[in-house]
Amino acid sequence: AEQSRAEQSRAEQSRAEQSRRIQVVRGLCVIAVLMIHNNPETLWVSWIRPFYNFAVGTFLAISGYLTVIPVENVRLFYKKRISRVLIPYFMWSLVYGVISALKNEFEIVAFLNELLTFRTCGIYYYFSVYIQFVLLTPFIGKLVESNKWRMGFLITPVSYIPIYLLVIFRNPLNFPWNAISCFVWFTFYYLGLCVRNGRIEVETKNVKKIVMAFAFTSFIQAIEGSIWFLFGDYDMSTTQFKYTALIGTYISVLIFLIYINKGFKYFTAISFSRFFKKVSTVLKKIGDNSFAIYLSHMLTMSVLNKLFYARFNKVFPIDVMLLLFIEMIVITICKKMFQKYPQFCKWVGLT
């Protein structure tokens, strides 16, 4: 009995540590989101963007990783996961609707159209993508369990073909329409599912080689991005929807999944691991607030642009650090103010 309790205690500690590492990765991802949304439109950004293009793909990979297939109770699965994002989406969409009304820019038909197409705020396309994956998970699970499971990794590369063709023929899909389909993100969610459900074993023997592969791919991605920039296409220069970016984010997700599964002990040969250990506590706190930061940061950016950056120049990445600092302070205050109302906190994404 004592041995059984000890094993149970170790299992609980392992799950708790894994949950902590997931929050660390989420913290890193939401910082990357803030950096993406504050990029200056310059050539040198093409050379640094590959190192933080992983944000959305990694968020989706984590969602896949947290999903066990087959889904036993599909109805409950849909209810829990969809309501988790849909209610905060509606709440924050109402906030944007009220702001539009105060600015005398509100039109009910236009607002409803944006609400139904997840465009009340540009970055809310993510919730549409997430809900698509939730709805498709029981079917994707069957593909993961089949003998043809590797075919799933062809979906995203194939979906990039029309994106490239439309750009080449100068009729590109504008944001967020180019990002709102789950198929352009499929590889990352699918990778998380495959790792969690035993189809792919994350290799820990060649971590250093994987990191070097990421650095090399990022260099190639930067070259492609620079070419697009020099041809006058900033969107393609920095977008995730390039084959070089697809490979780079895939490798990034692998690195994060190794960390989530195994922790730092497999990164001892890499110099940045000691530094990352020191900042992981901070990243974990940021990760705990990552959903609220994602929901609210565009509004905070708008306020800063009008009240602060109208007088002072934006300097990247100082503007990102300022935005993150304000977000963390405001969210912490709001959590304390509304701690007696846990349901409300859940509805607005504070918890």
Side-chain angles (χ1 to χ4, degrees):
E2 289 182 4
Q3 184 178 359
S4 177
R5 282 196 295 270
E7 290 176 355
Q8 184 178 358
S9 177
R10 284 195 295 270
E12 289 175 356
Q13 289 176 359
S14 177
R15 286 194 294 271
E17 180 57 28
Q18 192 172 88
S19 295
R20 180 187 177 278
R21 291 196 288 260
I22 287 173
Q23 293 305 92
V24 169
V25 174
R26 282 176 170 157
L28 196 60
C29 286
V30 84
I31 292 172
V33 167
L34 301 188
M35 293 176 72
I36 289 169
H37 295 157
N38 284 276
N39 280 330
E41 294 189 13
T42 58
L43 177 61
W44 63 266
V45 168
S46 301
W47 288 87
I48 64 170
R49 178 70 178 262
F51 295 97
Y52 52 89
N53 235 0
F54 57 79
V56 174
T58 304
F59 274 132
L60 292 169
I62 290 173
S63 296
Y65 180 77
L66 292 173
T67 304
V68 176
I69 54 174
V71 178
E72 293 184 1
N73 189 330
V74 174
R75 187 174 181 179
L76 181 62
F77 176 77
Y78 284 165
K79 181 181 179 180
K80 289 180 67 175
R81 294 219 172 178
I82 293 176
S83 64
R84 177 74 179 91
V85 298
L86 199 58
I87 295 174
Y89 166 71
F90 281 130
M91 295 291 283
W92 278 92
S93 294
L94 288 175
V95 171
Y96 279 101
V98 170
I99 292 171
S100 296
L102 292 173
K103 294 165 64 177
N104 294 320
E105 297 175 355
F106 184 80
E107 293 182 7
I108 185 64
V109 175
F111 176 75
L112 290 175
N113 180 42
E114 291 172 352
L115 183 68
L116 294 173
T117 54
F118 294 84
R119 292 183 298 120
T120 50
C121 176
I123 63 169
Y124 289 176
Y125 77 89
Y126 176 85
F127 302 124
S128 172
V129 173
Y130 177 83
I131 290 170
Q132 289 171 59
F133 277 125
V134 171
L135 293 174
L136 290 173
T137 293
F139 307 100
I140 299 173
K142 292 181 180 179
L143 177 60
V144 172
E145 294 176 319
S146 74
N147 293 329
K148 298 181 179 179
W149 64 273
R150 292 180 181 84
M151 298 291 288
F153 288 103
L154 294 177
I155 292 173
T156 296
V158 170
S159 73
Y160 280 17
I161 294 173
I163 293 176
Y164 270 87
L165 290 175
L166 287 169
V167 170
I168 291 169
F169 289 104
R170 299 187 177 183
N171 189 29
L173 278 174
N174 294 323
F175 180 84
W177 298 113
N178 60 342
I180 208 165
S181 167
C182 69
F183 297 119
V184 297
W185 303 103
F186 193 90
T187 288
F188 313 119
Y189 185 79
Y190 193 69
L191 177 58
L193 273 176
C194 287
V195 171
R196 176 55 185 265
N197 294 280
R199 272 302 186 188
I200 294 177
E201 178 68 30
V202 286
E203 293 290 336
T204 56
K205 296 178 182 179
N206 299 313
V207 170
K208 194 169 184 178
K209 290 181 180 179
I210 295 173
V211 174
M212 290 174 65
F214 170 71
F216 176 75
T217 306
S218 297
F219 176 73
I220 301 300
Q221 186 183 160
I223 292 175
E224 182 186 1
S226 299
I227 293 171
W228 284 111
F229 185 89
L230 293 173
F231 275 93
D233 196 329
Y234 175 78
D235 290 336
M236 279 299 290
S237 172
T238 57
T239 185
Q240 167 64 50
F241 309 128
K242 303 189 297 286
Y243 287 112
T244 53
L246 172 62
I247 297 169
T249 300
Y250 182 92
I251 297 172
S252 300
V253 170
L254 279 179
I255 293 170
F256 289 134
L257 289 176
I258 291 171
Y259 167 67
I260 289 169
N261 271 286
K262 308 296 183 180
F264 276 112
K265 61 183 178 180
Y266 291 99
F267 291 84
T268 53
I270 304 169
S271 59
F272 74 77
S273 64
R274 292 194 183 115
F275 170 76
F276 195 71
K277 277 184 180 180
K278 295 177 181 179
V279 301
S280 63
T281 301
V282 176
L283 287 173
K284 197 265 182 185
K285 291 180 180 178
I286 296 171
D288 289 341
N289 294 317
S290 59
F291 190 34
I293 292 172
Y294 190 89
L295 284 161
S296 63
H297 76 273
M298 295 299 287
L299 182 58
T300 306
M301 283 173 57
S302 298
V303 174
L304 283 173
N305 287 336
K306 289 188 177 181
L307 299 182
F308 188 74
Y309 294 121
R311 299 180 181 180
F312 304 97
N313 292 329
K314 292 183 72 173
V315 180
F316 182 87
I318 295 175
D319 55 347
V320 176
M321 291 187 283
L322 176 62
L323 176 60
L324 179 62
F325 177 76
I326 293 172
E327 284 284 318
M328 289 295 290
I329 293 295
V330 173
I331 290 168
T332 301
I333 292 172
C334 288
K335 281 186 172 182
K336 289 183 178 179
M337 286 177 60
F338 299 109
Q339 61 183 342
K340 294 182 179 179
Y341 308 97
Q343 193 64 49
F344 175 78
C345 290
K346 191 174 182 180
W347 286 349
V348 297
L350 287 172
T351 57

